[in-house]
Amino acid sequence: MKIRSLVMLACTVLSVHASLADDKIKRSDYHRPEAIPAPASNPLTTEKTTLGKTLFFDARLSRDKGMSCATCHSPDHRWSDGRVVPLGSEELEQPRRTPTVMNSAWLTALMWDGRANSLEAQAVLPITTPHEMNYNMKQLVERLGEIKGYQPLFEAAYGDAEINTQRIAMALATFQRTLVSNISSFDRWVEGDEQAISTSAQRGFELFNGKAQCAACHKSWRFTDDSFHDIGLDSPDLGRGKAIPVEVTIMQHAFKTPTLRDLPENGPYMHDGSMTDLEAVIKHYEDGGIERPSLSKEMKPFELTEQQRADLIAFLKTLDGGPLAVEPPALPKE
Ligand code: HEC
Ligand code: HEC
């Protein structure tokens, strides 16, 4: 009895130590959520997911039937396109790189500048944007109405076969909510599997939360604070600053903090796709970015050794859960 209590006491002391260490390096802040959130007005259902997936992969949502959502948000590129400049944006003065739509169920502000506030509201934008799918919702509703194969899909999702803008947007949003990162080796480490990531990556995690100050903005399990910052990139794009009065200095050149999960191996990274390797990204942070009034206060120069840089990169690689196994759907026939 006595021995048992001693053992128990020892265990308690040990676990107190473990949790103290956790507090210091904040490992416990990175637990994945248990469930996918969805608004009460658009709950997740398998029928809506099936419809949304079909619409997402269907190029008939664009005027010339040449571009679907998946053209730019492709499962082969972690639901982005691997391009510095998205298709169609070549002529734009300030093109922006395509972000992933993985884990978008948790987004509170959408687009690099936060100009959409829900997946439902966002879904209409690419369909109607001239340099993207270049269509309009009225004609799209008519076109889908003529495709017989869509009728049973709308009926299953909504109880009747009516097609309208809201239903299209709700289904696209629902499908995207189901695109959640696979469990990565980092997740297994957070859950207590000490061998899941290398000691180099573990040192990288400490740097991420310590000396390199990455966690000031890349927080929580998605590695974003869902906020906007100027990290001092040499880009003429004002980002959120375009939509916010100039007096709000810190929003000039500010872009949404992107997730760091499932980063593509060789980028491109950043809103302008200007970086193609993680070493360059880290060196940018070490330099501290362009000095200007809008530069984030969290951008403080620091210096890493070669080994520390390699550790930080090793850590970032543990956040990759690999491609999501999503089979492209069979598209409904006319
Ligand atoms: C021509 C390429 C292209 C196509 C087609 C396209 N997108 Fe995008 N998508 C982008 C780009 C570029 C952005 C970022 C634009 C910005 O921030 O100004 C984006 C942003 C998004 C976002 C916001 C992600 C975030 O992190 O804020 C979502 C969600 C999204 N797209 C969904 C869709 C859906 C749904 C469709 C089909 C109806 C679609 N996209 C079609 C290129 C594309
Ligand atoms: C001040 C907040 C802040 C800090 C500190 C910060 N980041 Fe970022 N990070 C951002 C923002 C904002 C962007 C997008 C900037 C843009 O495109 O204009 C970004 C982009 C990135 C990207 C590109 C991701 C993509 O999909 O394009 C990587 C990788 C990255 N950060 C890693 C790091 C690392 C590693 C550190 C620490 C050395 C760090 N960040 C520190 C806010 C921050």
Side-chain angles (χ1 to χ4, degrees):
M1 193 68 176
K2 224 174 171 183
I3 291 172
R4 209 173 146 219
S5 351
L6 267 179
V7 170
M8 276 171 66
L9 181 66
C11 288
T12 322
V13 171
L14 276 176
S15 69
V16 166
H17 270 287
S19 68
L20 275 181
D22 272 358
D23 277 354
K24 205 171 110 243
I25 60 167
K26 297 200 174 64
R27 181 162 155 182
S28 57
D29 285 356
Y30 294 92
H31 277 293
R32 293 167 63 107
E34 301 282 324
I36 302 175
S41 54
N42 188 20
L44 284 176
T45 65
T46 21
E47 293 79 8
K48 249 186 287 170
T49 305
T50 305
L51 171 62
K53 177 175 167 183
T54 313
L55 292 166
F56 195 91
F57 282 86
D58 196 337
R60 289 171 290 186
L61 268 67
S62 62
R63 182 179 296 278
D64 66 4
K65 305 183 182 176
M67 195 182 253
S68 71
C69 308
T71 304
C72 300
H73 301 284
S74 154
D76 298 338
H77 293 282
R78 302 289 195 274
W79 302 86
S80 176
D81 54 8
R83 298 171 60 99
V84 175
V85 176
L87 281 172
S89 293
E90 295 85 355
E91 305 296 317
L92 296 187
E93 220 168 286
Q94 292 168 0
R96 289 180 186 161
R97 185 180 66 76
T98 308
T100 181
V101 291
M102 284 169 83
N103 307 321
S104 54
W106 286 269
L107 291 176
T108 51
L110 288 85
M111 311 302 244
W112 283 106
D113 55 8
R115 69 185 181 282
N117 63 8
S118 71
L119 284 171
E120 285 79 1
Q122 194 280 336
V124 177
L125 303 180
I127 300 174
T128 54
T129 297
H131 66 267
E132 294 186 340
M133 297 158 88
N134 190 28
Y135 210 20
N136 66 65
M137 295 312 292
K138 190 167 170 289
Q139 282 176 294
L140 174 60
V141 166
E142 282 167 20
R143 184 186 278 177
L144 294 182
E146 284 161 13
I147 303 172
K148 284 198 195 62
Y150 265 115
Q151 286 163 14
L153 294 178
F154 275 90
E155 209 171 316
Y158 299 108
D160 63 69
E162 186 189 331
I163 300 178
N164 59 40
T165 300
Q166 200 192 4
R167 287 181 170 187
I168 294 169
M170 283 165 67
L172 284 167
T174 300
F175 168 61
Q176 292 179 92
R177 287 196 176 96
T178 65
L179 303 174
V180 182
S181 290
N182 290 324
I183 308 258
S184 66
S185 49
F186 173 73
D187 294 317
R188 290 199 300 277
W189 183 66
V190 166
E191 295 304 326
D193 177 354
E194 298 303 325
Q195 313 303 319
I197 68 173
S198 66
T199 48
S200 167
Q202 292 184 30
R203 289 193 302 268
F205 176 72
E206 283 189 42
L207 288 165
F208 187 89
N209 287 280
K211 187 176 177 187
Q213 313 151 158
C214 315
C217 303
H218 296 281
K219 291 179 200 293
S220 177
W221 78 281
R222 282 186 302 123
F223 293 87
T224 169
D225 56 1
D226 292 301
S227 190
F228 305 84
H229 309 273
D230 172 9
I231 62 162
L233 294 175
D234 186 10
S235 150
D237 193 337
L238 290 180
R240 195 156 174 78
K242 275 192 204 161
I244 301 265
V246 278
E247 296 78 59
V248 190
T249 320
I250 53 161
M251 284 300 130
Q252 304 303 307
H253 299 283
F255 292 85
K256 190 175 65 182
T257 311
T259 182
L260 300 180
R261 279 190 179 260
D262 308 291
L263 287 174
E265 176 93 26
N266 301 308
Y269 308 115
M270 305 299 174
H271 74 273
D272 54 358
S274 56
M275 295 182 192
T276 48
D277 71 276
L278 290 170
E279 183 118 344
V281 171
I282 291 170
K283 283 199 173 132
H284 168 79
Y285 284 112
E286 286 183 63
D287 292 345
I290 296 177
E291 275 285 355
R292 55 191 171 202
S294 53
L295 184 69
S296 164
K297 299 277 169 294
E298 309 290 351
M299 293 294 293
K300 300 172 207 129
F302 57 94
E303 208 180 316
L304 300 181
T305 63
E306 278 298 315
Q307 181 61 52
Q308 288 176 320
R309 244 170 252 140
D311 291 343
L312 203 44
I313 291 173
F315 160 65
L316 291 172
K317 295 205 161 149
T318 68
L319 307 181
D320 187 4
L324 294 185
V326 169
E327 282 289 315
L331 295 180
K333 298 227 167 39
E334 311 253 337

